[in-house]
Amino acid sequence: MNAASTLTARLLVERPRPRGIAGRRYAHWLAVGTVCLGAFLGQLTASVTALVYPALQHRFDAGFAAVEWVALAYLLVLVALLAPIGRLSDLVGRKTVYLGGFAVFGLASLGAGFAGGLGTLVACRAVQAVGGAMMQANSVALVARGVPGHAMRRALGVQAAAQGLGLALGPSLGGLLVAHASWRWVFWINVPVAVVGIAAGWFLLPRTRPEAAPALPRPRPGAAAGPAAVGSRVGPAGGPVVGPEPDGGRFDLAGLLLLGGSTTALLLALSAASGLPLPAWAVAALLAAAALCALALVRQERRATRPILAPGLVNTPGVRPGLAVALIGYLLLFCPLVLGPVLLAEAGLPTARSGLVITVLPAAFAVAATVGGGLLPRGWSDVARCRCGAVLAGAGLLGCALLPALGAPAVLLAGPLLVLGGGLGLLLPANNALVMRAIPAECSAVGGGMVNMARSLGTALGTALPVLGVHLAGPAVGGRAVLLALAAVAGLAVLLSRPVRRR
C-alpha cells in the first residue's frame, strides 16, 4: 500500500467518542446538537442569499435572471448529489462524510466571499452545495440511528427546529451584513460555524463504521454472497433485497446525470416562463427535455444494480408517500417565504415591518417542531400528527390568500403565517419519523439522502413557482392563485399520510 492509500485509509477511519462523553446518559443529545449545527447552516444558507441579490446586481452589473443562479446552482447540485452521497456514506461511514461536508462547505464559503466575478461566485456556490449535500444526506440518519427509539420524534423535532432557526435568522442576518458590512460576509459568516461543526462532530458524534471495516470487495464470478448492498430488486415483503450485486456495486453515473438533467431542465423552464431572457420555444423544449430525462431515469434505475434512487427502497411500504409529503412540506414552507415580501410590498408595508411579519412563519415552524408535539394528545400516532399538521397548514394558506381580498390590514397576515408555520412544524418531524422507521437500518444514509433530496426539490420548486405566478398574473391575482393552489396541495398531504400496510 502506497503513502496516498495509507493516508486515505487513515482519514476514513472513524474515531470513537471519548469514553467520558460516550458513557453519559445524555450523550445522544450532544450528537443531536452537533447535527443541528449542520441543519442550521444549511437553512441559513438557503434563506440568506435572497437578501444579497440587489448588492450582487450592482457589484457585477448583472440582471436578476443571472444573479438568481447563485441560489439555483446550489439547489441543483444539492438535489443531484443527496442520494448518491447517501449511498457513499453507507459504505464509508456517515460520521466521516458528515465532517467532510463541514470542511468542504467552509472552504467554498471562504472562496465565495473572495469571488471577483459572478461566474466564480456561482461556481463556489456549486462546490458549497457538495459540502451541504454531504451534511444533509446524513443528518436524518445520524439522528435516527443515534438516539433511543422513544426519543426519535423529539430529536427529529429539535433538528427541524434548528433548520427553522437558520431559516428565520437568514433574512434579518443577511440584511444586517449587507447594510453594515458587505455582501461577502454573507458567505464568510459560514466559516466559523463550519469550524465549530468539525470540532464538535469529531468529539460528540458516535462512530458509524467499525474502525477496521474494509472496503466492499468486488465479488468474483461464482463467489459467495458478500456484504449487503441495496439494489433495485424487491423481496417478498416489498423491501429492497440485500445481497451481492452482479457488477460489484458500480456507481450509477448515468442515473446521476439523468437526475441532474431532469431537475436542471425543469427549473430552467420555470425560469424562462418567469421572464428569463430565452427564446420563445425554450420553455416547451426544456419541459420536453425534463420529461425525457425523467423517463430515462426511471428506466435506468430499474436496470442499474446500484441505483442512486434505489427503486426497491422507494417501493418499501411507507417510503414513497413519505418522500412526497417531505417535498410538499418544503414547497409549502418556501413558497410563502418568497411570495410574502412581494404581497406585503404591494400592500404598502415598509420593508422592516414586512421582515418581522414574514419571520413569524419560520419562527412558528421552529417552535412547533420542538415542543408542538407535546401539546397534542399522547395517544396520537405519527400519522395523526401528520394529518393535523397538514390541515393546519392548509388553513393557514387559505387565510393568507383570503385576508388581502377582504381588505384586512397587511400586518394581520402574521396570523395565518403563524398557523401555517405551526402546522408544518407538526407535519415534517412526524413524517420524518414515519419514513425513517420504514427504511431498513442498513439503508439509513441512502434513505436520509432521499428524504433530503425531496426537501431540496420542494425548496427549489417553492422558490420558482411564486415568481412564475407573479410574472403571469401580477402580485395580487397571481399571488392569491399560488396560495390557493398550495392549500389544495396541503390537502393532498393529508391523503398521503396514512398507516403503512405491510405486504
Side-chain angles (χ1 to χ4, degrees):
M1 181 180 292
N2 57 34
S5 300
T6 302
L7 178 60
T8 301
R10 287 183 179 274
L11 289 175
L12 293 180
V13 171
E14 293 187 343
R15 301 298 180 187
R17 293 174 292 182
R19 291 182 180 179
I21 294 175
R24 298 187 180 274
R25 57 185 178 85
Y26 53 80
H28 59 279
W29 287 113
L30 295 176
V32 171
T34 302
V35 174
C36 285
L37 283 174
F40 170 84
L41 194 58
Q43 292 304 314
L44 179 71
T45 298
S47 62
V48 75
T49 51
L51 273 296
V52 305
Y53 289 160
L56 295 179
Q57 287 179 268
H58 180 265
R59 170 64 178 83
F60 299 119
D61 192 23
F64 182 76
V67 168
E68 70 174 349
W69 279 93
V70 171
L72 289 180
Y74 183 91
L75 292 171
L76 286 171
V77 174
L78 196 67
V79 169
L81 291 186
L82 280 171
I85 286 180
R87 183 173 297 285
L88 174 67
S89 301
D90 279 330
L91 302 177
V92 175
R94 292 185 285 277
K95 178 177 179 178
T96 297
V97 176
Y98 190 76
L99 295 183
F102 273 119
V104 173
F105 195 95
L107 290 173
S109 298
L110 189 64
F114 283 111
L118 184 59
T120 303
L121 178 57
V122 171
C124 287
R125 285 282 287 169
V127 177
Q128 193 181 50
V130 176
M134 293 170 72
M135 292 186 289
Q136 288 193 35
N138 292 285
S139 59
V140 175
L142 283 169
V143 171
R145 306 307 175 190
V147 303
H150 64 84
M152 183 191 299
R153 185 192 299 132
R154 186 180 175 192
L156 290 172
V158 171
Q159 184 212 11
Q163 292 176 320
L165 180 62
L167 202 63
L169 287 180
S172 56
L173 180 61
L176 287 173
L177 291 173
V178 171
H180 301 290
S182 165
W183 65 265
R184 299 182 186 276
W185 280 101
V186 169
F187 302 103
W188 286 339
I189 196 67
N190 297 326
V191 177
V193 181
V195 172
V196 172
I198 293 172
W202 182 268
F203 291 104
L204 302 180
L205 287 178
R207 190 168 56 189
T208 61
R209 183 172 180 261
E211 187 171 357
L216 290 180
R218 188 181 187 90
R220 298 182 303 274
V230 179
S232 57
R233 297 165 291 161
V234 179
V241 172
V242 177
E245 300 292 355
D247 67 350
R250 187 168 49 205
F251 181 71
D252 184 18
L253 179 60
L256 176 62
L257 294 176
L258 289 170
L259 175 63
S262 62
T263 52
T264 301
L266 175 61
L267 291 178
L268 269 175
L270 291 174
S271 296
S274 302
L276 190 69
L278 291 176
W281 49 264
V283 175
L286 287 167
L287 287 175
L292 289 175
C293 286
L295 291 174
L297 175 63
V298 172
R299 184 178 181 185
Q300 166 65 21
E301 298 306 274
R302 287 175 175 171
R303 295 187 305 174
T305 55
R306 204 166 178 81
I308 58 173
L309 296 181
L313 187 60
V314 174
N315 291 330
T316 301
V319 173
R320 184 181 299 172
L323 294 176
V325 172
L327 185 151
I328 288 172
Y330 275 77
L331 172 66
L332 301 185
L333 180 61
F334 271 84
C335 263
L337 285 175
V338 174
L339 186 59
V342 177
L343 297 180
L344 292 173
E346 183 75 5
L349 203 66
T351 303
R353 296 181 67 188
S354 295
L356 291 175
V357 172
I358 295 301
T359 300
V360 171
L361 171 57
F365 171 71
V367 172
T370 307
V371 301
L375 302 178
L376 298 176
R378 281 191 173 185
W380 278 23
S381 65
D382 283 322
V383 171
R385 294 166 187 268
C386 284
R387 289 174 174 172
C388 176
V391 168
L392 288 174
L397 289 163
L398 284 175
C400 290
L402 297 178
L403 271 183
L406 297 175
V411 72
L412 293 183
L413 199 65
L417 289 175
L418 178 69
V419 176
L420 171 60
L424 293 176
L426 297 177
L427 169 66
L428 289 171
N431 181 68
N432 288 344
L434 285 172
V435 175
M436 295 310 296
R437 275 201 295 268
I439 291 172
E442 66 272 12
C443 313
S444 59
V446 175
M450 293 175 68
V451 169
N452 280 291
M453 185 176 69
R455 291 174 176 176
S456 298
L457 187 56
T459 300
L461 292 175
T463 302
L465 290 178
V467 180
L468 177 63
V470 171
H471 176 75
L472 294 178
V477 177
R480 189 178 307 121
V482 170
L483 291 170
L484 290 174
L486 291 178
V489 173
L492 177 61
V494 175
L495 299 177
L496 288 172
S497 301
R498 55 182 183 270
V500 176
R501 291 182 173 86
R502 298 288 179 184
R503 290 182 288 178

